[in-house]
């Protein structure tokens, strides 16, 4: 058992103060990932700062018609919130594709964004892992890497981001509101998570003492033409081999706006502005969807055991775009490998 201190933050300023004062401290809300990491001795925080009672559980409309979601809103509450179901069904579908109902009841929006990779070598403290111990090496590169990254990887790390919710949020153009010692700031969710490069132990662009206060969705939620497809080894309790969030705005048969993001393939949710631009003004046809898939997967690199993921991702992109264009989003009953 590793000794640690426990503090309960009284407000956001108190949480920031406690976090800044102790570099080894970790925030805890639902604890659905952190507690597992502590049990495996992957995380050894000197202090747990309980933020579960902070007033960050509201879901409210913004002045411009968007939605502001508090960082402590449980995943289940978000997925089933009437405004999310009606205006952002892509997000609801992505959340419901992840984990079990029990975990979704506990997991928070902020915690979901902060969850760490499920790479087996990251969890195995007997093996080298640059994410767990910088400079020690990456066991996955020459090891069992079937589930690992095909995009944005580096010589230091080929782990993937495990979040379903983040993939949909990236596609929707969400913003992250951050509070810290220097005040408040807002960044696009596309810039929140980092690629591994030579510092894979740093997952996000949060600064010292900063915490997530809220996530903001823009007004346009692509409520009609959308689909979230998650390909996994088994239907329940599995992380994505490949996931696709697709959202379209159609003008007749032509695409006037497109959003496209991948999960399970990189250290962060993967979005390509070039692939989206290639769809705008085009007819919603499989040929144009295939072209977008090629652009989205440009630069994909396979390892010994995950070469199949490139073609799997290409087909998944086309399939998801076809579903989005026809307003027939992916059924939760058909999300496993045949």
């Amino acid at each position: 058992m590793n000794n640690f201190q426990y503090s309960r933050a009284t407000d956001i300023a108190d949480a920031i103060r406690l976090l800044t004062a102790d570099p080894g401290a970790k925030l805890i809300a639902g604890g659905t990932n952190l507690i597992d990491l502590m049990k495996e001795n992957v995380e050894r925080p000197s202090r747990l700062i309980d933020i579960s009672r902070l007033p960050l559980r509201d879901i409210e409309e913004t002045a411009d018609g968007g939605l502001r979601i508090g960082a402590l809103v449980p995943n289940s509450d978000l997925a089933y919130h009437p405004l999310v179901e009606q205006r952002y069904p892509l997000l609801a579908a992505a959340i419901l594709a992840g984990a079990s109902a029990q975990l979704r009841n506990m997991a928070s929006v902020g915690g979901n964004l902060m969850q760490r990779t499920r790479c087996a070598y990251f969890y195995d403290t007997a093996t080298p892992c640059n994410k767990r111990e910088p400079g020690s090496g990456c066991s996955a590169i020459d090891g069992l890497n079937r589930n690992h990254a095909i995009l944005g990887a580096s010589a230091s790390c080929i782990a993937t981001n495990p979040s379903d919710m983040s993939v949909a949020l990236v596609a929707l153009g969400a913003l992250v509101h951050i509070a810290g010692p220097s005040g408040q700031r807002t960044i696009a969710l596309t810039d929140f998570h980092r690629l591994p490069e030579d510092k894979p132990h740093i997952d996000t662009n949060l600064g010292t003492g900063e915490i997530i206060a809220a996530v903001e969705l823009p007004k346009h939620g692509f409520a009609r033409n959308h689909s979230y497809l998650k390909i996994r080894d088994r239907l329940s309790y599995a992380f994505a081999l490949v996931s696709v969030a697709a959202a379209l705005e159609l003008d007749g048969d032509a695409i006037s706006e497109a959003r496209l993001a991948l999960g399970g393939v990189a250290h962060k949710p993967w979005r390509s502005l070039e692939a989206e631009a290639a769809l705008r003004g085009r007819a919603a046809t499989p040929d144009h969807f295939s072209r977008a898939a090629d652009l989205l997967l440009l630069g994909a690199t396979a390892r010994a055991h995950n070469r199949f993921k490139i073609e799997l991702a290409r087909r998944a992109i086309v399939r998801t775009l076809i579903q989005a264009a026809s307003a027939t989003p992916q059924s939760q009953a058909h999300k496993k490998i045949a």
Side-chain angles (χ1 to χ4, degrees):
M1 181 67 179
N2 296 310
N3 291 325
F4 60 88
Q5 301 295 313
Y6 171 86
S7 300
R8 180 182 296 171
T10 56
D11 54 29
I12 295 176
D14 188 40
I16 293 169
R17 180 185 61 79
L18 290 167
L19 195 58
T20 304
D22 187 347
K26 293 287 183 180
L27 301 177
I28 187 167
T32 56
N33 185 209
L34 180 58
I35 297 301
D36 285 343
L37 292 170
M38 291 174 65
K39 288 179 179 178
E40 298 295 333
N41 284 322
V42 176
E43 294 276 11
R44 298 183 180 184
S46 55
R47 180 182 299 272
L48 290 182
I49 303 170
D50 186 350
I51 59 170
S52 62
R53 290 168 175 80
L54 298 187
L56 300 173
R57 292 178 176 268
D58 292 331
I59 299 176
E60 53 193 5
E61 293 188 82
T62 61
D64 61 357
L67 208 62
R68 183 182 172 99
I69 304 159
L72 292 179
V73 173
N75 286 179
S76 291
D77 289 6
L78 182 59
Y80 292 117
H81 192 279
L83 290 178
V84 174
E85 289 183 317
Q86 294 165 16
R87 289 160 44 179
Y88 307 95
L90 177 63
L91 175 58
I95 294 171
L96 294 176
S100 66
Q102 294 93 331
L103 286 171
R104 293 197 300 266
N105 288 342
M106 290 297 296
S108 65
V109 168
N112 191 303
L113 296 183
M114 293 297 295
Q115 65 179 305
R116 308 207 70 189
T117 184
R118 295 323 196 271
C119 172
Y121 297 106
F122 174 65
Y123 272 78
D124 184 358
T125 57
T127 63
C129 172
N130 287 321
K131 180 174 284 296
R132 190 182 63 249
E133 186 179 346
S136 62
C138 176
S139 298
I141 289 178
D142 295 318
L144 296 174
N145 45 44
R146 179 175 179 270
N147 298 328
H148 288 71
I150 56 174
L151 289 164
S154 72
S156 298
C157 182
I158 58 172
T160 59
N161 183 290
S163 173
D164 288 288
M165 184 187 77
S166 294
V167 181
L169 288 174
V170 162
L172 290 168
L175 303 174
V176 184
H177 294 282
I178 297 168
S182 300
Q184 300 182 0
R185 65 186 180 103
T186 301
I187 62 172
L189 188 55
T190 50
D191 299 323
F192 181 77
H193 296 100
R194 294 167 48 95
L195 290 179
E197 298 176 338
D198 60 351
K199 296 180 180 178
H201 59 291
I202 305 175
D203 291 335
T204 74
N205 284 313
L206 278 181
T208 301
E210 289 189 325
I211 69 172
I212 301 170
V215 170
E216 182 180 339
L217 293 171
K219 179 179 179 179
H220 189 22
F222 299 90
R224 175 171 172 79
N225 295 100
H226 66 89
S227 189
Y228 185 77
L229 173 63
K230 180 177 181 178
I231 307 286
R232 44 189 160 176
D233 285 324
R234 59 187 190 277
L235 186 59
S236 61
Y237 317 134
F239 295 97
L241 289 169
V242 172
S243 63
V244 186
L248 300 173
E249 187 71 28
L250 299 179
D251 183 7
D253 293 330
I255 300 168
S256 58
E257 183 58 81
R259 301 292 178 81
L260 198 55
L262 293 181
V265 298
H267 201 257
K268 60 184 289 183
W270 194 262
R271 182 180 170 190
S272 167
L273 299 181
E274 292 77 13
E276 294 172 0
L279 288 170
R280 295 189 193 103
R282 302 288 186 177
T285 65
D287 286 345
H288 292 139
F289 296 159
S290 293
R291 172 60 178 157
D294 290 341
L295 289 171
L296 193 57
L297 293 168
L298 198 64
T301 302
R303 299 287 171 174
H305 306 109
N306 68 353
R307 186 169 300 278
F308 74 98
K309 289 182 75 169
I310 298 177
E311 179 62 16
L312 179 65
R314 190 187 69 79
R315 295 188 182 201
I317 293 165
V318 174
R319 174 177 166 183
T320 311
L321 284 167
I322 290 173
Q323 291 171 343
S326 60
T328 55
Q330 175 71 21
S331 168
Q332 292 289 320
H334 300 92
K335 290 187 177 177
K336 62 180 178 179
I337 292 178

